[in-house]
Amino acid sequence: MSIHINLISDHLTPALITVLADKPNISCIYLIHTGAHYEVLANKLKRFYYSKNINSVELIQVNNPNAYADVRQQAEKIYERISKTHPTEYLYLNATGGTKPFAFAFAQAFDKRQQRSVAIYVDGHDNQIVFLTDDQSLKPFKQSEVLSIEDYLKLYEFEFSDNFDQYEKVDKYKTLTQKLAKHFKRSPGALPSINSLIQESGFNNGYLEVVHLSKPPFKALTEILTLLHDNELIIYDGKTITVRSVEDARYICGGWYEELIYFAAEEAELTEVKLNLEAADRNELDVVAINQNTLMIVEAKTINWKQPGAQSVVLNKLDTINRSYGGRFAKAVIMSAHPASAKLKERIEHHRNLQLVETCDYQRLIKFFKDFKNTTEGKQ
C-alpha cells in the first residue's frame, strides 16, 4: 500500500495525476498547506478525493513557507510522523506545488528511498513524472492518462449534467454544419449579414418575428438562406425570413461554429470532447476537450469584432472561466470564424494562457487539435 503527500498550491491538477494513477493502492493522503487561502484549496481537494472514495485524507499546516531552514525542520518532523504512522507503506511526496523553498525543503526531507520514501515532480511540459533525487536508477516515466473532463471540472467545483439528446441533434446537422463552414470560408462577408438578419427575429428575447428584407440579398447570402430553408431551419421566400424555432436561430447565429469545432476535435481523436457545458452560475463552456491530462477550453465566436465592447466581454469571460475551472495546466482558446482585429490580437498576446485561432476551415481546425494531441503526448 502507499501514502501520498500533496503540497498545496493554486494549481491542484498535478496532485490528481499521481493520486488517480495509484488510487487502488492508496491507504491515506496528507495535504500540506501554508495558511488560510491554501487550506480552502486543500479542503476542495479533500472533497474531490472523497468523491473518488478515498476517505482517509488529513490536512497539515506549515508556517513560514519562504523561510527554508524553518520549513526544512517542519518537513523533517512531518516525515518522521508519517513514516512512524505508516511503517510498512511507501511514501510518495508530490512536490509540484508550493513555493520553491517549500517544495525543495519537503523534497529533501522525503528523498529517502532506502526508507521507502521518494519525492516526485509532475512535468506538464514533457508529460512525465520526474523523481527528485540523486539516485540515477530512478528514471522519469510517462504520466498515466487518468483525468476525464468531469474529473477536471469537478475539482474546480463546476457541476454539469451531460445532455446526450443534444449530441444526437448535433450529429443530425453535421453535414449542414460543414456546408455552412464552406460557404462562410468562401464569402466571409455573409457571416455578419446572416447574424444580423436572424437577430432581427428577436430570438434573444425568447420570441420570433418574421424578418422583412429591405433589399434583395447578395448571391452568397441567398445561397446560405436557401441552404437553411432546404434544411428546414427557416422559411425563406425571397422577401421574408421566418425562423422555425429559437433553437434553430441560436444554431444559425453561432451554434453551427461550436459544432464544427466539436466535430474537428472528435476527428482529431482527442481523449474526450464535450459541447456546451453549462455551470450552475450560468457560465457556459462552448467546447471542452482533454488529452493526456491537459484540458482545453474553447470559446467559439462568429461575431464582428468591430462591435463596441465585443473584445473586452469575450476576453474577460474566457480569462475568468479559465482561472476558475482550468488552472495552470489548462489551455484557453478563442476560435473566431470572423477575422480578428489587430487590437484584439495584441490584447490576447498579453494574456498568458489565451490563444487565438481564426478560421472556419474544417481541415485547419482538425490540424489544430491534432497538434494539441501530439504536443500533450510528447510527439512535438
Side-chain angles (χ1 to χ4, degrees):
M1 299 299 288
S2 59
I3 307 299
H4 282 247
I5 302 96
N6 299 160
L7 303 185
I8 302 300
S9 70
D10 289 312
H11 308 292
L12 301 177
T13 312
L16 295 188
I17 293 172
T18 52
V19 166
L20 294 182
D22 194 38
K23 181 176 175 287
N25 303 312
I26 295 175
S27 62
C28 185
I29 298 175
Y30 292 89
L31 306 178
I32 315 297
H33 68 88
T34 57
H37 171 71
Y38 294 105
E39 184 177 10
V40 171
L41 295 176
N43 277 304
K44 182 182 289 189
L45 190 56
K46 181 178 180 179
R47 288 192 294 272
F48 177 85
Y49 287 149
Y50 279 1
S51 75
K52 291 295 183 181
N53 296 316
I54 303 173
N55 298 317
S56 181
V57 183
E58 181 180 336
L59 274 63
I60 300 176
Q61 181 170 336
V62 168
N63 300 313
N64 303 321
N66 292 311
Y68 174 76
D70 189 14
V71 175
R72 179 64 193 275
Q73 289 182 355
Q74 295 178 75
E76 288 290 350
K77 290 179 181 179
I78 291 170
Y79 165 77
E80 290 297 331
R81 175 192 159 191
I82 294 176
S83 61
K84 287 180 180 179
T85 304
H86 309 277
T88 62
E89 294 169 287
Y90 222 107
L91 310 185
Y92 293 94
L93 172 88
N94 187 331
T96 313
T99 64
K100 291 180 180 179
F102 178 35
F104 186 61
F106 270 84
Q108 291 284 300
F110 279 78
D111 179 21
K112 296 179 172 66
R113 188 184 179 192
Q114 299 302 317
Q115 286 78 46
R116 298 184 302 280
S117 177
V118 294
I120 56 179
Y121 175 82
V122 178
D123 181 354
H125 183 268
D126 290 327
N127 189 33
Q128 61 183 1
I129 308 296
V130 178
F131 290 97
L132 303 178
T133 180
D134 292 331
D135 188 339
Q136 296 184 5
S137 67
L138 294 175
K139 305 295 184 183
F141 61 95
K142 185 179 179 181
Q143 294 178 21
S144 298
E145 193 168 14
V146 294
L147 286 177
S148 67
I149 290 175
E150 183 176 5
D151 284 339
Y152 207 120
L153 296 180
K154 184 184 289 185
L155 172 63
Y156 293 95
E157 300 181 336
F158 181 112
E159 296 295 337
F160 67 90
S161 58
D162 212 348
N163 183 358
F164 293 102
D165 292 339
Q166 170 201 37
Y167 292 99
E168 292 179 8
K169 187 163 186 178
V170 167
D171 286 335
K172 176 183 175 182
Y173 285 128
K174 185 173 183 178
T175 300
L176 173 60
T177 295
Q178 294 180 351
K179 285 182 178 179
L180 284 172
K182 289 178 180 178
H183 274 289
F184 290 128
K185 179 186 174 184
R186 287 196 303 266
S187 306
L191 185 54
S193 297
I194 193 71
N195 285 348
S196 178
L197 286 172
I198 301 303
Q199 285 167 3
E200 287 183 31
S201 70
F203 78 91
N204 281 323
N205 298 316
Y207 60 83
L208 293 170
E209 293 183 349
V210 175
V211 178
H212 295 271
L213 301 178
S214 60
K215 59 182 179 180
F218 54 90
K219 181 181 177 182
L221 183 56
T222 299
E223 291 174 351
I224 293 168
L225 290 170
T226 302
L227 177 64
L228 295 172
H229 174 88
D230 292 344
N231 281 271
E232 300 183 345
L233 275 75
I234 66 172
I235 300 171
Y236 170 60
D237 61 8
K239 295 180 180 180
T240 63
I241 301 168
T242 303
V243 185
R244 291 182 178 272
S245 71
V246 170
E247 188 177 43
D248 289 337
R250 289 180 178 143
Y251 170 83
I252 298 167
C253 285
W256 67 270
Y257 189 50
E258 296 169 4
E259 295 179 13
L260 185 77
I261 294 166
Y262 167 79
F263 291 134
E266 283 271 286
E267 193 156 332
E269 299 183 335
L270 302 183
T271 302
E272 188 180 9
V273 187
K274 297 290 184 184
L275 176 68
N276 298 144
L277 299 182
E278 188 173 292
D281 62 4
R282 308 299 291 177
N283 261 328
E284 184 179 87
L285 309 182
D286 291 343
V287 179
V288 185
I290 196 166
N291 200 78
Q292 199 61 43
N293 304 317
T294 301
L295 192 78
M296 177 182 287
I297 299 172
V298 178
E299 181 80 358
K301 289 297 171 186
T302 60
I303 62 173
N304 185 341
W305 292 102
K306 294 179 181 179
Q307 294 174 357
Q311 299 177 11
S312 295
V313 170
V314 173
L315 286 174
N316 291 339
K317 177 188 174 185
L318 188 55
D319 191 41
T320 299
I321 287 174
N322 191 51
R323 283 187 283 105
S324 299
Y325 306 124
R328 189 182 67 186
F329 280 67
K331 299 182 182 298
V333 181
I334 296 174
M335 289 193 169
S336 177
H338 199 278
S341 66
K343 185 176 180 181
L344 175 64
K345 294 177 183 179
E346 183 180 352
R347 290 190 62 183
I348 288 177
E349 287 177 0
H350 291 90
H351 285 68
R352 181 170 58 88
N353 276 347
L354 297 189
Q355 182 177 356
L356 174 67
V357 176
E358 304 168 87
T359 188
C360 59
D361 183 292
Y362 189 53
Q363 295 304 319
R364 280 188 62 190
L365 289 171
I366 293 172
K367 183 181 184 303
F368 173 82
F369 286 115
K370 283 186 175 180
D371 288 345
F372 169 68
K373 176 182 175 70
N374 290 335
T375 299
T376 56
E377 294 176 0
K379 297 176 182 177
Q380 285 187 351

